[in-house]
Amino acid sequence: MSAQLLPNTNADGLPVIPMTDAQRYIFDVRGWLTLPGLLNTAQLDEIRAHQMNFLYERDTLPSEEQDNHGGPSQILLDHPAVVGVLNEIISNQGLASEDSYGFRFDHTYTSHREAGHDNFRPHGGSGYFNFSGSSHVYEMLPGKVHAGLTRVVWELNDVESGDGGTLFLSGSHKAAFERPEELSDRQSEIWDTYDCPAGSAVIFTEALCHSGTRWNNSDRARLSLFTCYNTVNAKWGKGCPAPDVVATMPPKRRSLFRGVWHGMGDAPQINRYHDESNHAI
Ligand SMILES: O=C(O)CCC(=O)C(=O)O
């Protein structure tokens, strides 16, 4: 058993669901993990509607909902099961408390893909050998890992076998050799993927070689949020939800959007809080 990690509840007061030993092992060895079926039907309906409005009728939304993670979609940011994983694989516990997360929001996008949409573009891998400025790092000691820039994909519609979920080259975050061209084809058996019910999260380290692929299901589009997290004093992507979006969130959730620095001593000299003057851009 590893030490208890902070925080123990999410911003809505729900108990954080710690990673199991099996999940920790699988994540480290493969570089990715699925958390199936985390949302109920009512939550999914609201979030899907918000994402579709955000994509196609943004002006009809109130300003505080004009963001991928505005309105009902804010609960995705710190779902208790996602926090359990992020606490373990990317949190700087020196900046975590019961009131603030030890990790930060980095960037996000929403993708709505009809059959035929193709995003085959393998990239990344061997992050174990990168320096920290790249954020695409993977660090480890016996019994502890740091996953660097971490992507949480929220699948808002079912993904069935053959539909075209994200492809992963399992283990390639630690690969010492360059990927040979003959393994780069999308038909190669080296690629792993998943199927999952709507409302699942798929978490992977951006240190891993991964790719989108063709969406094949003509009965159902893929609707996914691709949200990245980083350690508190690092940010890879530009941008942050507007202050009026963040203002609608409970305080602990707002800590995901604090400025990008570490500091020392006690708050406000150490970055364990978010306020108007400590907001990331
Ligand atoms: O399109 C996908 O399924 C994967 C997207 C991707 O490569 C990423 O988010 O880093």
Side-chain angles (χ1 to χ4, degrees):
M1 266 312 265
S2 61
Q4 204 161 18
L5 297 166
L6 293 173
N8 286 294
T9 57
N10 80 347
D12 296 320
L14 301 170
V16 166
I17 303 168
M19 241 177 152
T20 65
D21 289 346
Q23 287 175 323
R24 198 179 291 127
Y25 187 85
I26 289 169
F27 179 82
D28 174 50
V29 168
R30 294 196 316 198
W32 63 281
L33 184 71
T34 50
L35 300 174
L38 300 179
L39 303 177
N40 63 37
T41 310
Q43 289 171 324
L44 260 173
D45 287 348
E46 263 197 324
I47 292 168
R48 272 197 210 104
H50 174 250
Q51 294 300 319
M52 294 303 275
N53 285 331
F54 173 73
L55 288 175
Y56 301 114
E57 291 180 74
R58 197 169 302 180
D59 292 348
T60 66
L61 291 171
S63 67
E64 68 276 10
E65 294 195 15
Q66 292 185 16
D67 185 273
N68 312 70
H69 280 293
S73 301
Q74 63 173 277
I75 63 163
L76 302 179
L77 283 166
D78 56 348
H79 185 284
V82 170
V83 174
V85 174
L86 299 179
N87 270 353
E88 186 87 43
I89 66 170
I90 191 172
S91 174
N92 174 350
Q93 286 284 294
L95 293 180
S97 70
E98 257 331 316
D99 302 319
S100 61
Y101 294 113
F103 48 87
R104 68 169 311 97
F105 168 87
D106 197 282
H107 66 274
T108 193
Y109 61 95
T110 304
S111 194
H112 181 225
R113 302 180 185 176
E114 305 282 359
H117 181 287
D118 197 357
N119 196 30
F120 186 68
R121 195 177 50 91
H123 56 284
S126 303
Y128 179 75
F129 303 102
N130 286 338
F131 287 134
S132 63
S134 138
S135 281
H136 295 66
V137 297
Y138 192 83
E139 297 170 313
M140 56 192 180
L141 295 167
K144 181 75 193 148
V145 305
H146 177 79
L149 191 64
T150 299
R151 184 80 68 184
V152 176
V153 185
W154 278 99
E155 297 289 2
L156 299 177
N157 287 336
D158 291 345
V159 178
E160 285 174 4
S161 176
D163 277 357
T166 301
L167 302 177
F168 300 115
L169 213 163
S170 295
S172 61
H173 51 318
K174 308 180 189 188
F177 298 104
E178 257 189 58
R179 178 167 35 94
E181 223 17 72
E182 72 256 36
L183 295 181
S184 299
D185 189 90
R186 83 171 88 207
Q187 305 304 337
S188 167
E189 64 186 22
I190 200 129
W191 294 110
D192 288 327
T193 189
Y194 53 89
D195 48 71
C196 64
S200 300
V202 182
I203 303 185
F204 66 93
T205 168
E206 284 276 343
L208 180 74
C209 177
H210 59 282
S211 178
T213 190
R214 190 182 306 111
W215 185 255
N216 296 311
N217 192 324
S218 45
D219 295 330
R220 190 180 50 244
R222 185 178 182 194
L223 180 62
S224 324
L225 249 90
F226 291 83
T227 299
C228 252
Y229 298 79
N230 211 330
T231 193
V232 174
N233 61 340
K235 196 162 181 325
W236 179 258
K238 193 177 177 191
C240 194
D244 66 332
V245 176
V246 175
T248 64
M249 299 180 183
K252 200 182 294 186
R253 192 166 292 142
R254 285 185 224 156
S255 74
L256 294 171
F257 305 102
R258 73 195 106 157
V260 187
W261 56 279
H262 189 295
M264 56 199 126
D266 280 325
Q269 277 77 40
I270 194 164
N271 196 6
R272 267 198 211 113
Y273 67 99
H274 170 271
D275 67 17
E276 277 172 23
S277 63
N278 188 25
H279 184 82
I281 52 160

